[in-house]
């Protein structure tokens, strides 16, 4: 028979009985639920062994709780996680440094809890440098709640700040239905099996996580978004970040350490934007007001020259070794300069 | 309101629940569906409801006039009024900026410096789809192929029927109006087919199209510098993305309609198996290609006016079909490219029946491979923004160092595999709903797995369907 390609159509099929149709729907739903249940242990195992997110939060907590106490602890969001290279600090300061930065969605809560935890254990370094993008300060507790499971389960540090960060009931139920609540984690767990070529970023032993994929187009999109936001509203400090900041200041004061806030790296175009400068000035004066009378607190005013967008992954993350080194070197010089 | 949003799922649950209660009462059923369709459309931007209602009311009134009028001259004037006003509205919203910009650019080449005209026009969602659907009605009534619809609300439901309002299929009044004006039973076959269409449609949109979107976006980004294999991976990703996105929408639309007892036309028939240009257009966006054939190509004279005129008609039809997608030069170039392919193919075959049958398997597979490559080149033209972007991307396609991002290639492979496998099944069995014939337990397993895959790999961030912009 000669080959042929007819146009396919919708042919008539024998009608299923009502029972068979209902069985098909019920059976498919039951199977989906079964697969959902199978995902729970799979996600747990993957989180434990591979999840960089967990390593960045829980892994760093554990490491700081047991290893040698560093001379400088760098805390903050992902702008610091990918931008502040502890090896540059360590070389200049002559003592070990550790990057405990995590993610913006954790606001200042992660470092406040971490500093309290280390202080209580008598392991708080003499100096803490905190790096946050402007965008983090107004964030409320919502995004943080969805990431509470990233913290070490045995510590559950959020318990000390109810009700601001009490995990909502849907989140507590969520882990039973990962198909609905945590598709991203399920995807990551399965992705390695489906797509063996994909490699995740690797965390260095000093807590640093370098990025190496500049994306100027993404920076441009981000810039438009940030400018839009700055034009729309003033930067205010959310309740949870205010509480976290006050807790940090109080703890640092009690321990006799130093706490220094530094600006996150931003593209040149944003660094020179009057609205951005105005928002930053406003934020810094508000923070200085909140910390009034605390000798251990200071704010580093970097040159605000910014970084070329060709060397950034987005408007908050440095993505080449040169700019990371420049940013880190600039910070350490300012840190040791007499004030 | 997007099919892939939780708002729509809630909306449909409410509408369908009410629909089941009143499905045996024609007037109440139609009132519910019309109300739901207007809410569905107005959810995006209620201000454009007025335009939609004006456009459909005008065509309804012209249809009534065409029916009662016996004078050929007056009937022709009425048709011209319908065509001019429909295309005028479409032209204003869709092409005003394009023409003023192009005019300004042309003027600048002659040393003039006209001040820019920016009216801040927003393109109403689905305007190209509902305008063509409504226009086909007045042309059919003019041709006496269809009696005019006497009920405004029936006609309004025909134009606004929510499953297909914003991205087709572009239904013909001859097919959809009789379904609006009569009660149709909801059959078990219909529900069975709908289950597959909806599940497969959501899978294609949320799992395949939305996961391929970042790969295609990155490759076509002028700043990305993707070249060589990376560029080809991006282009192939876009080919699968647009197919999964658009055919996914059509499948969901057809499935939802079937759940309510309505039949919408098949819009895609395994286009990756097309073996020549005319075969491709029998498989891709069929509701548009048949519309262009019936109302434009044939009106231009079709193949009745000699060889050269036939080629010209093919090119003109496809060029306008390209422009239907949007007011950008790349769409015009894409249309001309496909028009050229059709004309060349017609010249090569002499207009004989060119269905891909009766050849050897190697020859058939070679034809499919060649057509797939040409279609891919077409998608590159389609995806670019303008002529200089096309030149840049084509140059990047032939440069590069032969290395590629394996992660992107891996994602493309796992996204494309189920699409190819399912279309291979459809093509081999000749049945676009072949899974219905599987053993019930196999069907159950396949549906359950689809649901789980949508849950795990489906992109939750609600992304618009590509064809919403047209």
């Amino acid at each position: 028979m000669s080959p042929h390609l007819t146009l396919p159509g919708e042919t008539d099929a024998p009608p299923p009985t009502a029972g068979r149709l209902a069985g098909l729907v019920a059976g498919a739903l039951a199977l989906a639920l079964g697969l959902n249940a199978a995902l729970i242990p799979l996600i747990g195992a993957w989180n434990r062994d591979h999840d960089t997110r967990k390593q960045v939060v829980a892994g760093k907590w554990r490491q700081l709780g047991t290893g040698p106490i560093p001379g400088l602890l760098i805390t903050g969001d992902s702008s610091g996680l990918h931008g502040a290279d502890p090896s540059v600090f360590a070389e200049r300061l002559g003592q070990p440094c550790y990057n405990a930065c995590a993610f913006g969605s954790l606001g200042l809560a992660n470092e406040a809890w971490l500093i309290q935890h280390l202080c209580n254990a008598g392991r708080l370094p003499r100096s803490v440098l905190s790096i946050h993008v402007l965008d983090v300060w107004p964030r409320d507790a919502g995004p943080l709640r969805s990431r509470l499971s990233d913290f070490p389960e045995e510590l559950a540090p959020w318990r000390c700040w109810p009700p601001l960060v009490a995990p909502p009931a849907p989140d507590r139920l969520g882990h039973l239905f990962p198909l609905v609540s945590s598709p991203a984690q399920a995807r990551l767990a399965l992705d390695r099996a489906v797509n063996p070529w994909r490699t995740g970023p690797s965390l260095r032993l000093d807590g640093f996580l370098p990025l190496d994929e500049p994306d100027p187009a993404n920076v441009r999109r981000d810039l438009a978004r940030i400018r839009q936001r700055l034009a729309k509203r003033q930067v205010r400090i959310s309740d949870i970040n205010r509480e976290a900041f006050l807790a940090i200041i109080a703890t640092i004061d009690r321990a006799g350490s130093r706490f220094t806030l530094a600006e996150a790296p931003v593209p040149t175009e944003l660094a020179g934007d009057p609205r951005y400068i105005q928002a930053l000035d406003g934020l810094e004066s508000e923070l200085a007001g909140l910390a009034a009378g605390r000798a251990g607190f200071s704010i580093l005013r970097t040159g605000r020259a910014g970084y070329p967008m060709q060397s950034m992954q987005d408007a908050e993350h440095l993505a080449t070794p040169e700019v990371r080194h420049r940013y880190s070197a600039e910070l350490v010089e300012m840190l040791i300069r007499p004030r | 309101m997007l099919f892939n949003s939780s708002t729509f799922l809630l909306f449909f649950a409410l509408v369908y629940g009410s629909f089941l209660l009143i499905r045996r009462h024609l007037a109440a059923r139609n009132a519910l569906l019309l109300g739901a369709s207007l809410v569905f459309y107005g959810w995006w931007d209620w201000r454009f409801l007025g335009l939609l209602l004006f456009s459909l009311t005008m065509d309804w009134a012209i249809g009534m006039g065409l029916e009662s009028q016996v004078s050929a001259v007056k009937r022709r004037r009425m048709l011209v009024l319908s065509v001019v006003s429909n295309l005028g509205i479409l032209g204003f919203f869709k092409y005003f900026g394009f023409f003023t910009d192009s005019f300004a650019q042309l003027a600048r080449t002659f040393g003039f410096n006209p001040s820019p005209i920016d009216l801040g026009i927003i393109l109403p969602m689905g305007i190209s789809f509902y305008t063509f659907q409504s226009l086909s009605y007045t042309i059919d009534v003019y041709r006496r192929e269809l009696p005019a619809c006497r009920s405004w609300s029936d006609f309004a439901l025909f134009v606004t029927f929510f499953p297909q309002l914003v991205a087709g299929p572009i239904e013909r009044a001859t097919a959809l109006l009789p379904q609006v004006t009569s009660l149709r039973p909801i059959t078990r076959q219909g529900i069975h087919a709908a289950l597959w269409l909806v599940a497969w449609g959501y899978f294609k949109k949320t799992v395949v199209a939305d996961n391929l979107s970042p790969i295609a976006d990155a490759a076509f980004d002028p700043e990305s510098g993707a070249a060589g294999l990376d560029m080809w991976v991006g282009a192939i990703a876009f080919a699968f993305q647009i197919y999964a996105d658009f055919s996914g929408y059509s499948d969901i639309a057809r499935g939802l309609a079937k759940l309510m007892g309505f039949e919408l036309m098949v819009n895609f028939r395994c286009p990756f198996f097309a073996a020549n240009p005319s075969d491709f257009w029998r498989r891709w966006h069929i509701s548009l290609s048949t519309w262009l054939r019936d109302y434009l190509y044939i009106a231009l004279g079709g193949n009745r006016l000699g060889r050269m005129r036939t080629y010209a008609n093919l090119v003109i039809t496809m060029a306008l079909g390209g422009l239907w997608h949007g007011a950008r030069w790349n769409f015009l170039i894409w249309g001309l490219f496909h028009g050229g392919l059709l004309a060349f193919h017609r010249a090569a075959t002499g207009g004989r029946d060119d269905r891909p049958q009766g050849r050897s398997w190697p020859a058939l597979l070679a034809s499919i491979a060649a057509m797939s490559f040409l279609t891919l080149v077409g998608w590159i033209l389609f995806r670019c923004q303008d002529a200089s972007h096309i030149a840049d991307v084509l140059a990047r396609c032939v440069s590069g160092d032969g290395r590629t991002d394996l992660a992107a290639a891996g994602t493309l492979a796992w996204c494309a595999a189920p699409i190819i496998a399912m279309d291979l099944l459809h093509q081999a069995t000749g049945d676009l709903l072949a899974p219905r014939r599987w053993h019930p337990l196999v069907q159950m397993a396949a549906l359950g797995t689809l649901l789980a895959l949508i849950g795990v790999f489906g992109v939750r961030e609600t992304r618009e369907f590509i064809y919403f912009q047209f």
Side-chain angles (χ1 to χ4, degrees):
Chain A
M1 199 177 81
S2 58
H4 65 283
L5 281 184
T6 49
L7 283 176
E10 281 183 9
T11 59
D12 280 335
T17 61
R20 188 163 276 187
L21 204 52
L24 177 62
V25 175
L29 287 174
L31 180 68
L33 278 175
L35 292 170
N36 173 77
L39 273 175
I40 297 171
L42 190 69
I43 290 174
W46 190 86
N47 279 343
R48 196 181 52 239
D49 303 332
H50 300 290
D51 188 0
T52 318
R53 233 173 58 162
K54 289 267 181 192
Q55 289 170 25
V56 165
V57 184
K60 288 184 175 185
W61 273 67
R62 290 206 178 95
Q63 199 161 339
L64 281 165
T66 55
I69 301 174
L72 171 71
L73 182 67
I74 306 166
T75 61
D77 56 41
S78 58
S79 63
L81 174 66
H82 306 302
D85 185 345
S87 65
V88 177
F89 287 83
E91 194 183 332
R92 184 73 176 88
L93 295 174
Q95 51 186 336
C97 299
Y98 189 82
N99 185 322
C101 295
F103 307 106
S105 49
L106 303 176
L108 269 75
N110 176 45
E111 61 206 272
W113 292 332
L114 183 64
I115 287 168
Q116 286 177 331
H117 173 68
L118 294 176
C119 182
N120 292 340
R123 300 181 57 80
L124 185 63
R126 298 297 302 159
S127 183
V128 179
L129 172 69
S130 175
I131 301 166
H132 284 285
V133 297
L134 192 64
D135 191 34
V136 160
W137 294 92
R139 288 189 195 173
D140 63 19
L144 167 66
R145 282 190 189 135
S146 64
R147 305 198 62 163
L148 291 179
S149 65
D150 289 349
F151 286 87
E153 283 158 32
E154 68 275 16
L155 297 173
W158 57 89
R159 283 183 194 140
C160 64
W161 288 2
L164 270 183
V165 279
D171 278 11
R172 275 175 285 180
L173 267 179
H175 77 277
L176 292 175
F177 298 97
L179 216 50
V180 179
S181 65
S182 350
Q185 277 186 294
R187 196 156 51 240
L188 285 167
L190 291 171
D191 197 31
R192 194 166 289 265
V194 179
N195 191 353
W197 299 292
R198 190 182 294 281
T199 52
S202 51
L203 194 65
R204 261 177 19 193
L205 284 175
D206 58 10
F208 188 54
L209 187 63
L211 291 177
D212 286 303
E213 287 175 13
D215 189 347
N218 199 25
V219 178
R220 218 166 277 132
R221 278 192 295 273
D222 255 10
L223 275 176
R225 180 180 54 79
I226 293 170
R227 283 184 173 136
Q228 222 171 14
R229 200 175 301 160
L230 285 172
K232 260 190 215 162
R233 58 171 190 266
Q234 263 192 318
V235 175
R236 48 164 274 279
I237 303 174
S238 65
D239 290 345
I240 185 156
N241 281 336
R242 185 182 303 271
E243 182 161 343
F245 179 73
L246 292 173
I248 291 170
I249 293 296
T251 312
I252 289 283
D253 205 33
R254 182 155 50 94
S257 295
R258 269 176 61 193
F259 182 72
T260 311
L261 268 178
E263 292 159 20
V266 292
T268 315
E269 291 76 6
L270 187 63
D273 188 312
R275 275 210 182 98
Y276 177 73
I277 294 170
Q278 191 188 355
L280 211 53
D281 287 345
L283 175 73
E284 287 178 358
S285 66
E286 190 178 350
L287 288 172
L290 283 174
R294 308 281 191 173
F297 171 72
S298 59
I299 297 176
L300 283 188
R301 287 179 172 269
T302 52
R304 292 182 181 175
Y307 296 85
M309 60 171 69
Q310 288 75 15
S311 60
M312 299 188 78
Q313 192 176 71
D314 51 43
E316 295 161 353
H317 300 118
L318 300 176
T320 66
E322 295 76 28
V323 288
R324 281 196 292 268
H325 190 276
R326 196 187 114 197
Y327 177 64
S328 306
E330 190 180 347
L331 283 182
V332 71
E333 289 306 328
M334 295 189 72
L335 205 57
I336 56 178
R337 190 184 300 162
R339 272 162 285 175
Chain B
M1 208 183 291
L2 300 170
F3 283 172
N4 52 332
S5 66
S6 48
T7 314
F8 177 77
L9 296 180
L10 182 64
F11 163 84
F12 187 72
L14 288 172
V15 171
Y16 196 55
S18 314
F19 175 87
L20 291 177
L21 292 175
I22 57 167
R23 67 184 189 278
R24 294 184 206 288
H25 307 279
L26 183 63
R29 182 202 73 170
N30 284 359
L32 171 74
L33 290 181
L34 178 58
S37 298
L38 296 178
V39 169
F40 175 84
Y41 191 76
W43 202 269
W44 164 68
D45 191 334
W46 62 269
R47 290 171 301 172
F48 288 108
L49 273 175
L51 183 70
L52 173 65
L53 292 172
F54 168 76
S55 174
L56 72 87
T57 303
M58 183 188 62
D59 282 330
W60 171 75
I62 289 174
M64 295 286 282
L66 283 168
E67 172 109 319
S68 57
Q69 187 55 255
V70 286
S71 157
V73 176
K74 287 183 179 169
R75 294 186 83 244
R76 199 170 177 80
R77 280 185 194 152
M78 284 183 192
L79 179 69
V80 169
L81 174 66
S82 170
V83 172
V84 168
S85 43
N86 272 301
L87 296 185
I89 292 170
L90 185 63
F92 175 75
F93 282 99
K94 204 159 178 170
Y95 304 108
F96 182 81
F98 172 68
F99 285 122
T100 52
D101 288 351
S102 301
F103 175 75
Q105 215 165 3
L106 186 71
R108 274 194 288 276
T109 60
F110 288 104
F112 298 102
N113 195 14
S115 47
I117 306 170
D118 184 7
L119 301 183
I121 298 167
I122 303 169
L123 182 67
M125 193 179 271
I127 188 170
S128 307
F129 289 91
Y130 72 70
T131 300
F132 269 38
Q133 182 155 320
S134 190
L135 196 52
S136 76
Y137 163 80
T138 48
I139 298 172
D140 284 350
V141 174
Y142 172 78
R143 290 174 174 172
R144 302 262 189 225
E145 289 172 2
L146 179 78
C149 176
R150 303 203 163 275
S151 158
W152 177 87
S153 59
D154 285 352
F155 183 73
L157 179 56
F158 154 68
V159 177
T160 64
F161 187 46
F162 72 85
Q164 49 85 235
L165 171 59
V166 289
I170 303 167
E171 282 297 319
R172 303 295 177 81
T174 44
L176 189 54
L177 256 178
Q179 300 184 57
V180 169
T181 54
S182 64
L183 280 175
R184 291 168 59 88
I186 300 170
T187 62
R188 289 196 296 275
Q189 287 111 311
I191 295 174
H192 193 195
L195 284 177
W196 278 108
L197 284 169
V198 172
W200 184 236
Y202 272 109
F203 177 84
K204 282 195 281 190
K205 166 62 182 165
T206 62
V207 178
V208 178
D210 288 350
N211 277 300
L212 288 177
S213 164
I215 298 174
D217 290 350
F220 281 91
D221 187 332
E223 304 279 346
S224 75
L229 277 177
D230 276 342
M231 195 60 240
W232 285 108
V233 166
I236 296 169
F238 179 68
F240 278 95
Q241 182 203 349
I242 194 168
Y243 174 50
D245 191 282
F246 193 18
S247 71
Y249 183 93
S250 292
D251 283 354
I252 298 168
R254 298 185 62 244
L256 297 178
K258 274 180 194 285
L259 283 176
M260 295 184 281
F262 289 82
E263 287 293 333
L264 301 180
M265 73 183 291
V266 173
N267 219 7
F268 294 89
R269 295 178 198 266
C270 312
F272 289 129
F273 290 94
N276 60 55
S278 34
D279 192 27
F280 177 76
W281 286 103
R282 281 193 287 264
R283 294 166 180 269
W284 178 270
H285 201 175
I286 300 162
S287 65
L288 176 68
S289 61
T290 51
W291 197 104
L292 291 171
R293 181 197 63 199
D294 295 347
Y295 299 107
L296 185 58
Y297 175 69
I298 290 176
L300 287 170
N303 58 4
R304 302 186 304 276
L305 304 172
R307 227 159 26 125
M308 295 314 290
R309 185 61 193 271
T310 302
Y311 303 152
N313 287 343
L314 284 169
V315 174
I316 292 168
T317 302
M318 293 313 295
L320 291 173
L323 273 181
W324 174 88
H325 290 82
R328 288 208 316 247
W329 287 105
N330 65 302
F331 290 133
L332 180 64
I333 296 169
W334 176 76
L336 288 169
F337 173 75
H338 271 286
L341 287 181
L342 284 168
F344 180 79
H345 177 250
R346 190 170 182 91
T349 59
R352 293 185 303 274
D353 180 12
D354 56 359
R355 276 171 294 182
Q357 296 182 38
R359 304 181 191 181
S360 66
W361 276 112
L364 192 57
L365 292 175
S367 302
I368 292 172
M371 191 60 216
S372 297
F373 176 74
L374 291 172
T375 313
L376 185 62
V377 173
W379 290 131
I380 292 175
L381 306 177
F382 190 92
R383 179 61 179 74
C384 290
Q385 300 295 316
D386 51 41
S388 62
H389 191 197
I390 290 174
D392 170 51
V393 167
L394 290 177
R396 284 197 271 140
C397 280
V398 293
S399 61
D401 55 7
R403 283 182 299 179
T404 188
D405 174 4
L406 287 176
T411 303
L412 170 61
W414 74 253
C415 283
I419 297 287
I420 294 171
M422 191 59 106
D423 271 10
L424 198 57
L425 175 75
H426 292 157
Q427 184 63 57
T429 58
D431 185 359
L432 291 170
L433 288 167
R436 286 175 310 166
R437 297 176 186 281
W438 291 345
H439 187 279
L441 285 176
V442 179
Q443 287 192 53
M444 207 182 280
L447 265 183
T449 308
L450 268 186
L451 287 179
L453 288 174
I454 292 169
V456 175
F457 291 103
V459 175
R460 297 293 169 89
E461 171 201 338
T462 307
R463 293 194 185 151
E464 273 196 3
F465 288 84
I466 294 175
Y467 265 68
F468 276 21
Q469 61 186 294
F470 307 141

